[in-house]
């Protein structure tokens, strides 16, 4: 190997000094060929030599040559580590794409960093990787646009945290295709499948019931029966929120619709006023806010609260005083506090807009 090292270094020095782009690209191909021919038999120290050489070359060749190198090294488990790091962070998706989609040399921390800082094309490439961990999918769900989210949801081996599932299910309300994709995931926890079907249109529910695998069909049918019964019980009359809305609008006019007002309403159990307050602060309907407040899921309530910019004391008071059969435990409140800290205002506002658009379509 020592003779090979000297040969490569000499060739490299000639290529770099010559100033010829064609010569550097040719040298890059030769070095890559040498590595791919012998790489599986090389020691880590020997691979490091190739790593150093390739790093020098990729900084001096055009993107087309870097893209070719990325495609050749992406499937290789023993690919030089530093080269893979450079290629994965390349601003050109033609260069980074293959490595982001396939290279086993990228760590979870690398993927989280890249998913947090690069654009939608990079997120799209990462979304198709095998066995994506929760730390990565959390970032993609938060930052990804529709095409990215659909690809991620279609990735059967991707794993999601409860926060990730909650957010992606909320986003599915305005996206029938995403609803179908999620509804067919075998690993979707039942609590999220229920919420997904509750939000879905009748047409999407019917399609899911028809195309779902046998192990899901029975559960989907059972959930849909429960939803139909609940709709039948609650549909007769629309509630009148006009008094609460008038009071809240008056507070708004006098710049008194703030955290203290929410705390006072919630502490007194005046949840029509709380719903009207959240509606005004978010430019939403009081009926929508009331459905959230009276629903079983405390995590969904965090979204309009964060969108409205409420502090944690107001949110905690609201959650603690909801008229539930079982009051929230200290552990649930602690988890809600953590989730509220993680939830960005941007994500909350975007999710709320999805809900509002869906409501308008339904009407």
């Amino acid at each position: 190997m020592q003779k090979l090292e000297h040969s490569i270094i000499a060739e490299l020095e000639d290529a770099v000094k010559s100033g010829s782009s064609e010569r550097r690209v040719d040298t890059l191909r030769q070095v890559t060929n040498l590595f791919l021919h012998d790489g599986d038999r090389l020691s880590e120290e020997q691979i490091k030599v190739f790593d150093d050489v390739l790093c020098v070359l990729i900084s001096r060749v055009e993107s087309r040559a870097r893209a070719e190198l990325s495609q050749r090294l992406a499937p290789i488990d023993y690919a030089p580590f530093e080269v893979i790091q450079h290629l994965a962070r390349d601003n050109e998706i033609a260069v980074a794409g293959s490595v982001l989609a396939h290279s086993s040399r990228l760590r979870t921390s690398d993927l989280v960093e890249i998913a947090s800082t690069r654009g939608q094309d990079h997120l799209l490439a990462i979304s198709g990787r095998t066995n994506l961990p929760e730390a990565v999918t959390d970032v993609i769900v938060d930052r990804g646009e529709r095409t990215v989210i659909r690809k991620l949801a279609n990735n059967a081996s991707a794993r999601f945290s409860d926060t990730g599932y909650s957010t992606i299910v909320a986003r599915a309300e305005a996206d029938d295709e995403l609803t179908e994709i999620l509804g067919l995931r075998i690993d979707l926890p039942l609590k999220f499948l229920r919420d997904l079907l509750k939000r879905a249109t009748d047409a999407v529910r019917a399609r899911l019931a028809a195309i779902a695998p046998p192990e899901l069909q029975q559960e989907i049918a059972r959930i849909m029966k429960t939803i139909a019964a609940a709709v039948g019980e609650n549909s007769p009359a629309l509630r009148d929120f006009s008094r609460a809305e008038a009071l809240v609008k008056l507070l708004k006019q006098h710049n008194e619709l703030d955290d203290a007002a929410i705390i006072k309403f919630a502490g007194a159990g005046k949840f029509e006023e709380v719903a009207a307050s959240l509606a005004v602060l978010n430019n939403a309907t009081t009926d929508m806010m009331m459905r959230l407040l009276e629903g079983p899921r405390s995590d969904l309530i965090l979204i309009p609260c964060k969108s409205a910019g409420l502090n944690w004391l107001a949110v905690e008071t609201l959650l603690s005083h909801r008229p539930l059969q079982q009051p929230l435990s200290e552990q649930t409140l602690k988890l809600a506090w953590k989730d509220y800290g993680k939830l960005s205002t941007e994500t909350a506002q975007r999710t709320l807009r999805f809900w509002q658009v869906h409501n308008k379509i339904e009407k």
Side-chain angles (χ1 to χ4, degrees), residues 294-360:
E294 292 182 339
R297 292 186 54 184
S298 57
D299 57 330
L300 293 185
I301 297 173
L302 301 180
I303 291 169
C305 291
K306 176 64 78 168
S307 176
L310 299 187
N311 64 31
W312 172 247
L313 179 59
V315 178
E316 183 181 31
T317 305
L318 193 160
L319 293 176
S320 300
H321 287 80
R322 282 202 306 148
L324 300 174
Q325 290 183 348
Q326 294 290 334
L328 291 182
S329 67
E330 194 65 35
Q331 184 178 3
T332 303
L333 275 174
K334 188 174 181 180
L335 180 61
W337 171 72
K338 288 182 179 178
D339 288 343
Y340 197 65
K342 292 178 187 175
L343 180 63
S344 69
T345 303
E346 180 187 1
T347 297
Q349 291 174 343
R350 185 170 56 199
T351 303
L352 203 55
R353 283 196 298 271
F354 282 135
W355 291 348
Q356 289 169 306
V357 168
H358 183 67
N359 262 21
K360 290 174 184 175

Side-chain angles (χ1 to χ4, degrees), residues 49-122:
V49 173
F50 280 97
D51 211 349
D52 293 341
V53 171
L54 290 171
C55 281
V56 170
L57 284 169
I58 62 173
S59 65
R60 291 169 171 80
V61 296
E62 60 187 18
S63 61
R64 186 166 54 183
R66 299 198 306 277
E68 179 185 321
L69 179 65
S70 176
Q71 291 169 5
R72 298 185 73 186
L73 292 182
I76 307 300
D77 291 336
Y78 51 86
F81 181 76
E82 292 300 332
V83 171
I84 294 296
Q85 297 294 311
H86 282 293
L87 293 173
R89 288 167 174 78
D90 199 294
N91 288 327
E92 297 281 346
I93 190 59
V95 177
S98 295
V99 167
L100 290 177
H102 303 294
S103 180
S104 61
R105 296 289 269 172
L106 291 174
R107 303 161 298 189
T108 296
S109 58
D110 298 322
L111 295 170
V112 168
E113 178 205 326
I114 295 165
S116 300
T117 57
R118 294 301 193 271
Q120 295 300 309
D121 287 338
H122 289 65

Side-chain angles (χ1 to χ4, degrees), residues 142-361:
D142 187 49
R143 295 193 67 232
E145 295 176 359
R146 177 171 290 192
T147 303
V148 171
I149 296 300
R150 287 177 177 175
K151 183 173 182 179
L152 180 65
N154 255 322
N155 184 344
S157 66
R159 300 190 298 277
F160 296 85
S161 67
D162 274 5
T163 300
Y165 267 133
S166 178
T167 305
I168 201 170
V169 166
R171 294 185 65 171
E173 186 163 3
D175 187 341
D176 287 353
E177 183 177 334
L178 179 57
T179 299
E180 288 188 18
I181 294 168
L182 288 171
L184 295 175
R185 287 189 68 98
I186 301 297
D187 62 340
L188 183 68
L190 285 181
K191 62 179 179 179
F192 294 115
L193 179 60
R194 292 188 195 101
D195 193 38
L196 185 76
L197 291 173
K198 191 182 297 184
R199 298 164 181 269
T201 62
D202 290 339
V204 172
R205 289 175 187 167
R207 179 164 169 75
L208 276 173
I211 65 177
E215 56 265 45
L216 272 179
Q217 283 186 348
Q218 187 174 358
E219 189 59 42
I220 288 175
R222 189 183 67 78
I223 292 171
M224 286 170 59
K225 186 176 180 180
T226 303
I227 291 171
V231 170
E233 291 172 5
N234 298 328
S235 59
L238 294 174
R239 292 165 70 173
D240 182 9
F241 296 108
S242 57
R243 185 194 59 79
E245 289 171 344
L247 172 59
V248 166
K249 286 175 183 176
L250 186 62
L251 290 175
K252 176 74 171 173
Q253 288 174 8
H254 290 86
N255 294 319
E256 294 177 2
L257 185 58
D258 53 17
D259 293 282
I262 301 286
I263 291 170
K264 187 174 180 180
F265 285 144
K270 296 182 176 181
F271 277 89
E272 289 191 355
E273 286 79 359
V274 173
S277 299
L278 290 174
V280 168
L281 291 171
N282 288 295
N283 194 27
T285 65
T286 304
D287 180 67
M288 176 192 285
M289 296 299 102
M290 200 66 195
R291 291 203 308 270
L292 287 173
L293 292 172
E294 292 182 339
R297 292 186 54 184
S298 57
D299 57 330
L300 293 185
I301 297 173
L302 301 180
I303 291 169
C305 291
K306 176 64 78 168
S307 176
L310 299 187
N311 64 31
W312 172 247
L313 179 59
V315 178
E316 183 181 31
T317 305
L318 193 160
L319 293 176
S320 300
H321 287 80
R322 282 202 306 148
L324 300 174
Q325 290 183 348
Q326 294 290 334
L328 291 182
S329 67
E330 194 65 35
Q331 184 178 3
T332 303
L333 275 174
K334 188 174 181 180
L335 180 61
W337 171 72
K338 288 182 179 178
D339 288 343
Y340 197 65
K342 292 178 187 175
L343 180 63
S344 69
T345 303
E346 180 187 1
T347 297
Q349 291 174 343
R350 185 170 56 199
T351 303
L352 203 55
R353 283 196 298 271
F354 282 135
W355 291 348
Q356 289 169 306
V357 168
H358 183 67
N359 262 21
K360 290 174 184 175
I361 292 172

